[in-house]
Amino acid sequence: MRGAGPDVLDQAFRTGREQLLALFDGFERALGPEGLHVAFDPVLNLPLWELGHIGWFEEHWLSRNTDWRRGLAFDPALPRCASVLAGADGLYDSSNVPHRQRWQLALPSVCATRDYLAEVRQSTHALLQQSADHDDDLYFFRLVLMHEDMHREAWHFMAQQLGIDLGPAMNGRSPKASSVQGELQVPAGRYQLGSKGPGFAFDNELHAHAVDLDGFSIDRAPVSWARF
């Protein structure tokens, strides 16, 4: 999705949201609406909080961001528009709402949270239809899409950790065991880290630079859940 244009992004938004809500449906079936408040965990998030945060992040960087067309050159000092959900910043801004505090918040209901995401997404689609097919215009759309994708991934490992079956949404999405064995030996040397090309990169991937690394070994295949 690094160089995806408006049409590809539009379809990816729709597909990703269907998958996200299917996973959330799985949490509701397994835990019940009242049971969505799982026990505090320093790594996991409350499913209901996380759902609202996904909508907040999308709104924060797109429909509330008056400078979104400038991509990474946007002015962070410009005031943002108000959220369509009263008090959204105090609930879902992960940079300012401590992890433990999320368990103490009076969160909107499941229905209200779903409505919030739907209203934000409607605005996102309207902005996407206005955007040009170049990196600056599309940067924050790509950022929002990748952010939602990360949270879907987080819900997979959350379900694994809690021993919850999320139903059909999990089918075919667990890491598969690989027959590839052994390790690769990577020699010491100077390597380039970060991105300097066109298309999307997260902020922590920018400013490509060279680093000197000692030699190391790495498995030839990803580790399976069972082996982990």
Side-chain angles (χ1 to χ4, degrees):
M1 291 298 171
R2 285 182 180 270
D7 291 343
V8 174
L9 287 170
D10 184 70
Q11 184 56 51
F13 272 123
R14 296 177 192 278
T15 302
R17 182 53 56 86
E18 288 175 2
Q19 294 174 358
L20 179 82
L21 295 179
L23 290 169
F24 188 78
D25 288 344
F27 280 117
E28 280 199 279
R29 285 192 300 270
L31 301 172
E34 300 303 322
L36 285 171
H37 292 278
V38 298
F40 172 78
D41 187 283
V43 175
L44 306 179
N45 271 306
L46 292 162
L48 184 57
W49 181 90
E50 199 157 2
L51 186 67
H53 165 75
I54 291 167
W56 174 88
F57 187 94
E58 179 175 338
E59 185 188 30
H60 181 80
W61 288 112
L62 284 170
S63 56
R64 294 180 63 190
N65 178 10
T66 58
D67 210 20
W68 63 268
R69 284 188 181 278
R70 297 180 62 207
L72 285 167
F74 85 106
D75 184 354
L78 289 175
R80 278 182 161 76
C81 301
S83 172
V84 297
L85 178 68
D89 292 340
L91 294 172
Y92 301 124
D93 184 351
S94 55
S95 296
N96 293 304
V97 180
H99 189 78
R100 184 176 288 276
Q101 184 179 325
R102 297 167 196 175
W103 269 255
Q104 315 303 322
L105 297 171
L107 297 173
S109 67
V110 170
C111 183
T113 305
R114 287 177 179 269
D115 288 345
Y116 174 50
L117 262 71
E119 186 171 355
V120 170
R121 181 53 54 89
Q122 186 175 9
S123 297
T124 295
H125 280 303
L127 292 178
L128 186 58
Q129 291 173 2
Q130 303 168 23
S131 65
D133 189 1
H134 60 71
D135 288 341
D136 285 345
D137 259 34
L138 297 178
Y139 181 81
F140 287 112
F141 294 99
R142 294 167 179 165
L143 175 66
V144 164
L145 183 65
M146 297 293 183
H147 174 262
E148 187 166 323
D149 186 51
M150 288 192 303
H151 280 285
R152 290 202 308 274
E153 181 181 14
W155 277 357
H156 281 271
F157 75 68
M158 179 176 181
Q160 176 76 5
Q161 181 165 327
L162 296 177
I164 291 174
D165 181 3
L166 296 183
M170 296 285 285
N171 290 347
R173 300 186 183 277
S174 299
K176 299 295 188 297
S178 173
S179 60
V180 177
Q181 298 181 352
E183 296 181 336
L184 289 173
Q185 302 299 319
V186 180
R190 174 160 287 197
Y191 297 90
Q192 179 177 295
L193 296 183
S195 173
K196 64 177 180 180
F200 174 81
F202 284 105
D203 53 357
N204 61 353
E205 297 174 319
L206 299 175
H207 311 300
H209 59 285
V211 296
D212 293 314
L213 295 179
D214 295 332
F216 63 93
S217 62
I218 186 171
D219 285 349
R220 289 177 178 269
V223 64
S224 67
W225 279 352
R227 184 180 170 199
F228 178 79

